[in-house]
Amino acid sequence: MSRGRRVLVDFLRAPSAAWARACALWFALALATFAAARAGVPAEAPGTAPAARTITQAEFCMAPGLSDTWPDAACSWKTVDLAKVWHAPRRDVPMADAWFRLRFHLEAVPRHGLALYTVAFNRSGRVFVNGSLLREVGAMRDPLPLNWNRSQYVEVPALMLHAGDNEIEIQQRIHTWEVGWLAPVRLGSQDELRPVWQSRVFWQNDTVRLLGSCTGAFGLFMLGVWLGRRRDAMYFWFACVALSWTVQCLDSYAELAPLPPLLWEQVIESMPVLRGVLMLTFVLRYGGMRWPRVEAIAWAYFLLGAVAIFGDAMPPIGLNLWFLGSLVASVFILVLQVRLGLRRSRLEGVLLASAGILAMMLNTHDLWMFSEDTWADRFYLAHFGASLYLIVIGTILVRRFTESFNAHENLAAVLEQRVDEKAAELARNYEQLVEARRNEALALERGRIMSEMHDGIGSQLTMALSLVRQLDRDAHPERAGEDGRVATVLRESIEDLQLIIDSLEPVENDLLTVLGTLRYRLQDRLGKGGIDLQWNVVDLPPLPMLTPHSVLSILRIVQEAFANSLKHSGASQIAVTTRLQGEAGVDEMAHIGIVDNGRGIDLSRGAGRGLENMRRRAAALGGRLKILSQPGRTEIWLEFPTLRPGPA
Amino acid sequence: MLDPIEMPLETPTRILVVDDDDAFRESVCAAIARDDAMVLAAQVGNAESARAAIAGGEFDVALVDLGLPDGNGIDLIREIARTRPDADVMVVTVFGDEAHVLASIEAGATGYLLKRSLNDTLGATVRELRAGGSPISPVIARQLLHRFKKDSPTPSTPAVVDDGGLSEREREVLLFIAKGFTVGEIANMLHLSAHTVATHVKHIYRKLAVHSRTEAVFEAGRMGLL
């Protein structure tokens, strides 16, 4: 990261950095947001501890070669301010060394010795006190460890110090392609400086490790989702963004880069632009937008820079412009993303906007920090914003995933319900079909019997009646129009057959049609007998119990009642009455009354065969027959249950 | 069942009798001979002779039996309705059952006679028929209501006379008949003459025949026969 940092530092120190400073003012909020985080860092309190001091000047010299021992006087020592940023004098060797000498005065040697603390130290080195080696800060051989973001804390035992002037010598070693630096060095008691160092390690290394792991876990989860749902490419692209961020975080806390140092540096340098392109692709997939040209331009932009970086041909100004382009694009991506979020829900849009803007503000804070050259306490914030931003997007994706999962479940439930409804409907239709088929079969059978009776026995009986009447007429011309005994039997047979056929007719559960049919058949005889028929009926609801069987029983009972009136009573008036009594679904009865004004039935002699039959048939209907007879008025009432269901 | 309607007939009604039962034909001929208002046009015992008689003979009323040895009476009725629209066809039936009667009416018959009571009712029925009235039983009335109801486009659409549907009055008449009321009683209730009520019935029969024919044409068209 060191070369990138250097480039940025140069860039921001230039007059063109004014824009960054201007922008920074706007992002004071970012600082406020992380005031809480900063609160964890004990504030520097100069003067409270007598030994506390910051050394801001040192003697500096670059050794011609690598050495484990103190450079001789030939090394051209000069005094420099800390922080000191230094370049390797030649690049044809892999590593270069530089030496710092820090002088300080002690009135007395503290009992527990001293502590030495510096926030920025690049890259590896050794600490000597008064000429004796105290500690190695990172390994000194190639590859050098990742130390750019690691503060250094070294405890100096009292034994190595003495009252009066003391000096600390620091050896630094870098790869020749990068820059080395040493921030101002603080000296103090261990109790004072150890918590400062620990807090910094927590906020700048451990927290980044945690956040990087979080986004990594998110990324892996999304990768798993994508593996199960290849169609939803957005999960894949988000996984790429998140995992690339995890790799980037590695640079901030890992002891040793997972790649050779130069290659790692190149990867890390190209990472921000790569992540921008991945983010753009993700947002486009998320929004279901196809902008192949924009995507192609973005990838070409990335590849161009990447080729230059890996080919070690990227000039510093080129790298700056490359980052700047990516920065502008990221604003555009954020706007696009917030609009998409708002389309789905206000909360989503607001979350994305705030997380994205916060990430940008914190980024700017870090840039501003570079430009101000505040080496004393470099507190990087970009990690928090970027991680938070990714976690917000990841959460939205997970929510969207679970939402579609729920929607699918609901859909399945709705489908199941529809299938059930359809199945029920089919069952109903099937029942209706079966019923219709049955009715059809019955009608067909009825038609067959009808036509048998009509063309067969019916025709023959009619022919026989006609012949007998002819014979009767020839034998007894004086009794013309009166049927003889044989003719009467034949006629009654035909009439009975007629009754059976009438009972099979489709009356659609209308009792009045049943009775009307009988009236229609008897019309001629009533007319001939000069009998006045009164049709005192009330309309009745459809009675499902009127099957051919029960219709025949009713017809026979009523016909018998008519026969009584016609044959024996000498009545001149017959009234037919209908009515309903009782409550449907409980005890509803239909009443049919045949009332004449004849001489009456002598019930005292016991019921005749006709009445006996009527009673039997009435009982078969589940009903009863009531007869009230006196001279001049005879009432025959048939009462039977309608078996109608009550109102629902 | 129909109230007698006195109507002076200037010329006797010519009757064509189609029945394979010789005794019945004789009996009908005797009945015609007894009545001044009727005269026999022809009497035939099979469908073939009947066709010849229909094509050539002059008649006003045809009595047709449905069961003929060499053909179906329904076809004869259809032919008469087609070639002699001014003539009336009465189908002769043993029981006056709905299946036979409705099929005949659909073919174009406007009346029917019960075979066994023919001697008593022939004259009256023919007179009634020529005057424009038709007999009808409650079951047939109910079936007609059913038939037209099934075919009417929507229940809310008022019945229209021309399209095969029933007029309100016709529906009313059918409903009363289905409930067992006589033509005379209906005439009283609706303040009409018995004759008018009987003419309604005949109109309904004609509508059913027309309706059936258009239905047949429609069916044939649908099946690609036309």
Side-chain angles (χ1 to χ4, degrees), chain B residues 100-125:
Chain B
H100 281 100
V101 173
L102 265 194
S104 309
I105 292 169
E106 278 181 340
T110 46
Y112 62 97
L113 276 172
L114 285 187
K115 224 167 186 176
R116 62 177 179 277
S117 56
L118 182 128
N119 272 332
D120 305 324
T121 53
L122 179 63
T125 315

PDB file of all heavy atoms in Angstrom, chain B residues 100-125:
ATOM      1  N   HIS B 100     -94.216 -38.160 -27.078  1.00  0.00           N
ATOM      2  CA  HIS B 100     -94.770 -38.238 -28.425  1.00  0.00           C
ATOM      3  C   HIS B 100     -95.316 -36.894 -28.899  1.00  0.00           C
ATOM      4  O   HIS B 100     -95.073 -36.464 -30.015  1.00  0.00           O
ATOM      5  CB  HIS B 100     -95.894 -39.275 -28.466  1.00  0.00           C
ATOM      6  CG  HIS B 100     -95.385 -40.680 -28.534  1.00  0.00           C
ATOM      7  ND1 HIS B 100     -95.319 -41.506 -27.430  1.00  0.00           N
ATOM      8  CD2 HIS B 100     -94.915 -41.407 -29.570  1.00  0.00           C
ATOM      9  CE1 HIS B 100     -94.826 -42.663 -27.778  1.00  0.00           C
ATOM     10  NE2 HIS B 100     -94.562 -42.642 -29.084  1.00  0.00           N
ATOM     11  N   VAL B 101     -96.065 -36.249 -27.991  1.00  0.00           N
ATOM     12  CA  VAL B 101     -96.754 -35.030 -28.398  1.00  0.00           C
ATOM     13  C   VAL B 101     -95.757 -33.903 -28.708  1.00  0.00           C
ATOM     14  O   VAL B 101     -95.844 -33.245 -29.740  1.00  0.00           O
ATOM     15  CB  VAL B 101     -97.761 -34.593 -27.314  1.00  0.00           C
ATOM     16  CG1 VAL B 101     -98.361 -33.239 -27.665  1.00  0.00           C
ATOM     17  CG2 VAL B 101     -98.847 -35.632 -27.170  1.00  0.00           C
ATOM     18  N   LEU B 102     -94.785 -33.724 -27.847  1.00  0.00           N
ATOM     19  CA  LEU B 102     -93.835 -32.635 -28.084  1.00  0.00           C
ATOM     20  C   LEU B 102     -93.026 -32.857 -29.359  1.00  0.00           C
ATOM     21  O   LEU B 102     -92.791 -31.918 -30.121  1.00  0.00           O
ATOM     22  CB  LEU B 102     -92.880 -32.482 -26.896  1.00  0.00           C
ATOM     23  CG  LEU B 102     -93.258 -31.458 -25.842  1.00  0.00           C
ATOM     24  CD1 LEU B 102     -92.068 -31.183 -24.938  1.00  0.00           C
ATOM     25  CD2 LEU B 102     -93.767 -30.163 -26.463  1.00  0.00           C
ATOM     26  N   ALA B 103     -92.644 -34.117 -29.586  1.00  0.00           N
ATOM     27  CA  ALA B 103     -91.896 -34.415 -30.814  1.00  0.00           C
ATOM     28  C   ALA B 103     -92.743 -34.062 -32.031  1.00  0.00           C
ATOM     29  O   ALA B 103     -92.240 -33.497 -33.015  1.00  0.00           O
ATOM     30  CB  ALA B 103     -91.496 -35.883 -30.840  1.00  0.00           C
ATOM     31  N   SER B 104     -94.038 -34.362 -31.964  1.00  0.00           N
ATOM     32  CA  SER B 104     -94.927 -34.058 -33.093  1.00  0.00           C
ATOM     33  C   SER B 104     -95.082 -32.552 -33.274  1.00  0.00           C
ATOM     34  O   SER B 104     -95.072 -32.039 -34.399  1.00  0.00           O
ATOM     35  CB  SER B 104     -96.308 -34.677 -32.857  1.00  0.00           C
ATOM     36  OG  SER B 104     -96.163 -36.034 -32.536  1.00  0.00           O
ATOM     37  N   ILE B 105     -95.231 -31.862 -32.149  1.00  0.00           N
ATOM     38  CA  ILE B 105     -95.389 -30.398 -32.235  1.00  0.00           C
ATOM     39  C   ILE B 105     -94.134 -29.767 -32.819  1.00  0.00           C
ATOM     40  O   ILE B 105     -94.198 -28.856 -33.657  1.00  0.00           O
ATOM     41  CB  ILE B 105     -95.717 -29.810 -30.849  1.00  0.00           C
ATOM     42  CG1 ILE B 105     -97.118 -30.264 -30.404  1.00  0.00           C
ATOM     43  CG2 ILE B 105     -95.667 -28.292 -30.879  1.00  0.00           C
ATOM     44  CD1 ILE B 105     -97.414 -29.962 -28.957  1.00  0.00           C
ATOM     45  N   GLU B 106     -92.993 -30.275 -32.400  1.00  0.00           N
ATOM     46  CA  GLU B 106     -91.746 -29.762 -32.956  1.00  0.00           C
ATOM     47  C   GLU B 106     -91.679 -29.996 -34.459  1.00  0.00           C
ATOM     48  O   GLU B 106     -91.121 -29.189 -35.198  1.00  0.00           O
ATOM     49  CB  GLU B 106     -90.549 -30.434 -32.263  1.00  0.00           C
ATOM     50  CG  GLU B 106     -90.208 -29.788 -30.944  1.00  0.00           C
ATOM     51  CD  GLU B 106     -89.015 -30.432 -30.274  1.00  0.00           C
ATOM     52  OE1 GLU B 106     -88.677 -31.589 -30.626  1.00  0.00           O
ATOM     53  OE2 GLU B 106     -88.427 -29.792 -29.413  1.00  0.00           O
ATOM     54  N   ALA B 107     -92.265 -31.105 -34.880  1.00  0.00           N
ATOM     55  CA  ALA B 107     -92.249 -31.412 -36.320  1.00  0.00           C
ATOM     56  C   ALA B 107     -93.251 -30.546 -37.065  1.00  0.00           C
ATOM     57  O   ALA B 107     -93.159 -30.389 -38.281  1.00  0.00           O
ATOM     58  CB  ALA B 107     -92.525 -32.881 -36.541  1.00  0.00           C
ATOM     59  N   GLY B 108     -94.224 -29.978 -36.351  1.00  0.00           N
ATOM     60  CA  GLY B 108     -95.170 -29.096 -37.024  1.00  0.00           C
ATOM     61  C   GLY B 108     -96.637 -29.389 -36.745  1.00  0.00           C
ATOM     62  O   GLY B 108     -97.523 -28.729 -37.284  1.00  0.00           O
ATOM     63  N   ALA B 109     -96.935 -30.404 -35.909  1.00  0.00           N
ATOM     64  CA  ALA B 109     -98.330 -30.691 -35.564  1.00  0.00           C
ATOM     65  C   ALA B 109     -98.874 -29.586 -34.672  1.00  0.00           C
ATOM     66  O   ALA B 109     -98.119 -28.957 -33.930  1.00  0.00           O
ATOM     67  CB  ALA B 109     -98.410 -32.040 -34.842  1.00  0.00           C
ATOM     68  N   THR B 110    -100.176 -29.320 -34.775  1.00  0.00           N
ATOM     69  CA  THR B 110    -100.747 -28.286 -33.914  1.00  0.00           C
ATOM     70  C   THR B 110    -101.839 -28.865 -33.012  1.00  0.00           C
ATOM     71  O   THR B 110    -102.467 -28.124 -32.254  1.00  0.00           O
ATOM     72  CB  THR B 110    -101.347 -27.141 -34.740  1.00  0.00           C
ATOM     73  OG1 THR B 110    -102.135 -27.718 -35.802  1.00  0.00           O
ATOM     74  CG2 THR B 110    -100.267 -26.278 -35.340  1.00  0.00           C
ATOM     75  N   GLY B 111    -102.040 -30.199 -33.100  1.00  0.00           N
ATOM     76  CA  GLY B 111    -103.034 -30.779 -32.212  1.00  0.00           C
ATOM     77  C   GLY B 111    -102.771 -32.257 -32.049  1.00  0.00           C
ATOM     78  O   GLY B 111    -101.891 -32.817 -32.700  1.00  0.00           O
ATOM     79  N   TYR B 112    -103.468 -32.854 -31.107  1.00  0.00           N
ATOM     80  CA  TYR B 112    -103.331 -34.303 -30.951  1.00  0.00           C
ATOM     81  C   TYR B 112    -104.635 -34.882 -30.433  1.00  0.00           C
ATOM     82  O   TYR B 112    -105.452 -34.185 -29.830  1.00  0.00           O
ATOM     83  CB  TYR B 112    -102.159 -34.647 -30.047  1.00  0.00           C
ATOM     84  CG  TYR B 112    -102.282 -34.117 -28.640  1.00  0.00           C
ATOM     85  CD1 TYR B 112    -102.764 -34.936 -27.620  1.00  0.00           C
ATOM     86  CD2 TYR B 112    -101.913 -32.815 -28.344  1.00  0.00           C
ATOM     87  CE1 TYR B 112    -102.882 -34.463 -26.341  1.00  0.00           C
ATOM     88  CE2 TYR B 112    -102.028 -32.332 -27.070  1.00  0.00           C
ATOM     89  CZ  TYR B 112    -102.511 -33.155 -26.059  1.00  0.00           C
ATOM     90  OH  TYR B 112    -102.631 -32.678 -24.786  1.00  0.00           O
ATOM     91  N   LEU B 113    -104.809 -36.156 -30.705  1.00  0.00           N
ATOM     92  CA  LEU B 113    -106.033 -36.845 -30.322  1.00  0.00           C
ATOM     93  C   LEU B 113    -105.692 -38.114 -29.577  1.00  0.00           C
ATOM     94  O   LEU B 113    -104.722 -38.793 -29.919  1.00  0.00           O
ATOM     95  CB  LEU B 113    -106.805 -37.250 -31.573  1.00  0.00           C
ATOM     96  CG  LEU B 113    -107.713 -36.220 -32.215  1.00  0.00           C
ATOM     97  CD1 LEU B 113    -108.221 -36.767 -33.531  1.00  0.00           C
ATOM     98  CD2 LEU B 113    -108.881 -35.914 -31.285  1.00  0.00           C
ATOM     99  N   LEU B 114    -106.452 -38.413 -28.542  1.00  0.00           N
ATOM    100  CA  LEU B 114    -106.291 -39.704 -27.879  1.00  0.00           C
ATOM    101  C   LEU B 114    -107.083 -40.722 -28.685  1.00  0.00           C
ATOM    102  O   LEU B 114    -108.254 -40.510 -29.008  1.00  0.00           O
ATOM    103  CB  LEU B 114    -106.816 -39.653 -26.449  1.00  0.00           C
ATOM    104  CG  LEU B 114    -105.930 -38.917 -25.457  1.00  0.00           C
ATOM    105  CD1 LEU B 114    -106.494 -39.094 -24.047  1.00  0.00           C
ATOM    106  CD2 LEU B 114    -104.504 -39.417 -25.524  1.00  0.00           C
ATOM    107  N   LYS B 115    -106.453 -41.826 -29.002  1.00  0.00           N
ATOM    108  CA  LYS B 115    -107.060 -42.804 -29.888  1.00  0.00           C
ATOM    109  C   LYS B 115    -108.398 -43.316 -29.345  1.00  0.00           C
ATOM    110  O   LYS B 115    -109.378 -43.435 -30.053  1.00  0.00           O
ATOM    111  CB  LYS B 115    -106.099 -43.990 -30.049  1.00  0.00           C
ATOM    112  CG  LYS B 115    -105.963 -44.470 -31.487  1.00  0.00           C
ATOM    113  CD  LYS B 115    -104.767 -45.406 -31.619  1.00  0.00           C
ATOM    114  CE  LYS B 115    -104.564 -45.745 -33.093  1.00  0.00           C
ATOM    115  NZ  LYS B 115    -103.383 -46.572 -33.299  1.00  0.00           N
ATOM    116  N   ARG B 116    -108.399 -43.579 -28.008  1.00  0.00           N
ATOM    117  CA  ARG B 116    -109.581 -44.272 -27.450  1.00  0.00           C
ATOM    118  C   ARG B 116    -110.801 -43.374 -27.372  1.00  0.00           C
ATOM    119  O   ARG B 116    -111.924 -43.844 -27.397  1.00  0.00           O
ATOM    120  CB  ARG B 116    -109.254 -44.855 -26.080  1.00  0.00           C
ATOM    121  CG  ARG B 116    -108.887 -43.818 -25.034  1.00  0.00           C
ATOM    122  CD  ARG B 116    -108.656 -44.471 -23.692  1.00  0.00           C
ATOM    123  NE  ARG B 116    -108.282 -43.484 -22.684  1.00  0.00           N
ATOM    124  CZ  ARG B 116    -107.064 -43.021 -22.496  1.00  0.00           C
ATOM    125  NH1 ARG B 116    -106.079 -43.450 -23.267  1.00  0.00           N
ATOM    126  NH2 ARG B 116    -106.818 -42.138 -21.549  1.00  0.00           N
ATOM    127  N   SER B 117    -110.589 -42.058 -27.256  1.00  0.00           N
ATOM    128  CA  SER B 117    -111.754 -41.188 -27.120  1.00  0.00           C
ATOM    129  C   SER B 117    -112.046 -40.438 -28.407  1.00  0.00           C
ATOM    130  O   SER B 117    -112.757 -39.463 -28.411  1.00  0.00           O
ATOM    131  CB  SER B 117    -111.518 -40.212 -25.957  1.00  0.00           C
ATOM    132  OG  SER B 117    -110.317 -39.510 -26.187  1.00  0.00           O
ATOM    133  N   LEU B 118    -111.428 -40.943 -29.505  1.00  0.00           N
ATOM    134  CA  LEU B 118    -111.517 -40.230 -30.768  1.00  0.00           C
ATOM    135  C   LEU B 118    -112.950 -40.079 -31.260  1.00  0.00           C
ATOM    136  O   LEU B 118    -113.356 -39.001 -31.705  1.00  0.00           O
ATOM    137  CB  LEU B 118    -110.677 -40.976 -31.798  1.00  0.00           C
ATOM    138  CG  LEU B 118    -110.609 -40.345 -33.171  1.00  0.00           C
ATOM    139  CD1 LEU B 118    -109.182 -40.194 -33.578  1.00  0.00           C
ATOM    140  CD2 LEU B 118    -111.374 -41.175 -34.176  1.00  0.00           C
ATOM    141  N   ASN B 119    -113.714 -41.133 -31.113  1.00  0.00           N
ATOM    142  CA  ASN B 119    -115.107 -41.087 -31.580  1.00  0.00           C
ATOM    143  C   ASN B 119    -115.866 -39.920 -30.990  1.00  0.00           C
ATOM    144  O   ASN B 119    -116.655 -39.280 -31.658  1.00  0.00           O
ATOM    145  CB  ASN B 119    -115.817 -42.396 -31.207  1.00  0.00           C
ATOM    146  CG  ASN B 119    -115.617 -43.429 -32.298  1.00  0.00           C
ATOM    147  OD1 ASN B 119    -115.443 -43.069 -33.467  1.00  0.00           O
ATOM    148  ND2 ASN B 119    -115.610 -44.693 -31.906  1.00  0.00           N
ATOM    149  N   ASP B 120    -115.572 -39.638 -29.688  1.00  0.00           N
ATOM    150  CA  ASP B 120    -116.317 -38.588 -28.994  1.00  0.00           C
ATOM    151  C   ASP B 120    -115.781 -37.199 -29.286  1.00  0.00           C
ATOM    152  O   ASP B 120    -116.502 -36.221 -29.228  1.00  0.00           O
ATOM    153  CB  ASP B 120    -116.254 -38.813 -27.478  1.00  0.00           C
ATOM    154  CG  ASP B 120    -116.738 -40.199 -27.096  1.00  0.00           C
ATOM    155  OD1 ASP B 120    -117.678 -40.672 -27.771  1.00  0.00           O
ATOM    156  OD2 ASP B 120    -116.159 -40.794 -26.167  1.00  0.00           O
ATOM    157  N   THR B 121    -114.491 -37.128 -29.553  1.00  0.00           N
ATOM    158  CA  THR B 121    -113.874 -35.796 -29.562  1.00  0.00           C
ATOM    159  C   THR B 121    -113.427 -35.315 -30.936  1.00  0.00           C
ATOM    160  O   THR B 121    -113.074 -34.149 -31.092  1.00  0.00           O
ATOM    161  CB  THR B 121    -112.628 -35.791 -28.646  1.00  0.00           C
ATOM    162  OG1 THR B 121    -111.780 -36.866 -29.044  1.00  0.00           O
ATOM    163  CG2 THR B 121    -113.017 -35.954 -27.204  1.00  0.00           C
ATOM    164  N   LEU B 122    -113.435 -36.215 -31.941  1.00  0.00           N
ATOM    165  CA  LEU B 122    -112.879 -35.844 -33.244  1.00  0.00           C
ATOM    166  C   LEU B 122    -113.500 -34.563 -33.796  1.00  0.00           C
ATOM    167  O   LEU B 122    -112.809 -33.613 -34.130  1.00  0.00           O
ATOM    168  CB  LEU B 122    -113.043 -37.002 -34.244  1.00  0.00           C
ATOM    169  CG  LEU B 122    -112.527 -36.713 -35.645  1.00  0.00           C
ATOM    170  CD1 LEU B 122    -111.029 -36.466 -35.639  1.00  0.00           C
ATOM    171  CD2 LEU B 122    -112.873 -37.850 -36.611  1.00  0.00           C
ATOM    172  N   GLY B 123    -114.825 -34.557 -33.831  1.00  0.00           N
ATOM    173  CA  GLY B 123    -115.521 -33.413 -34.433  1.00  0.00           C
ATOM    174  C   GLY B 123    -115.173 -32.119 -33.731  1.00  0.00           C
ATOM    175  O   GLY B 123    -114.758 -31.135 -34.362  1.00  0.00           O
ATOM    176  N   ALA B 124    -115.274 -32.124 -32.408  1.00  0.00           N
ATOM    177  CA  ALA B 124    -115.016 -30.898 -31.635  1.00  0.00           C
ATOM    178  C   ALA B 124    -113.583 -30.430 -31.809  1.00  0.00           C
ATOM    179  O   ALA B 124    -113.315 -29.235 -32.003  1.00  0.00           O
ATOM    180  CB  ALA B 124    -115.312 -31.154 -30.159  1.00  0.00           C
ATOM    181  N   THR B 125    -112.655 -31.399 -31.770  1.00  0.00           N
ATOM    182  CA  THR B 125    -111.246 -31.021 -31.854  1.00  0.00           C
ATOM    183  C   THR B 125    -110.912 -30.432 -33.217  1.00  0.00           C
ATOM    184  O   THR B 125    -110.185 -29.437 -33.321  1.00  0.00           O
ATOM    185  CB  THR B 125    -110.348 -32.237 -31.568  1.00  0.00           C
ATOM    186  OG1 THR B 125    -110.843 -32.929 -30.434  1.00  0.00           O
ATOM    187  CG2 THR B 125    -108.923 -31.820 -31.300  1.00  0.00           C
TER     188      THR B 125
END
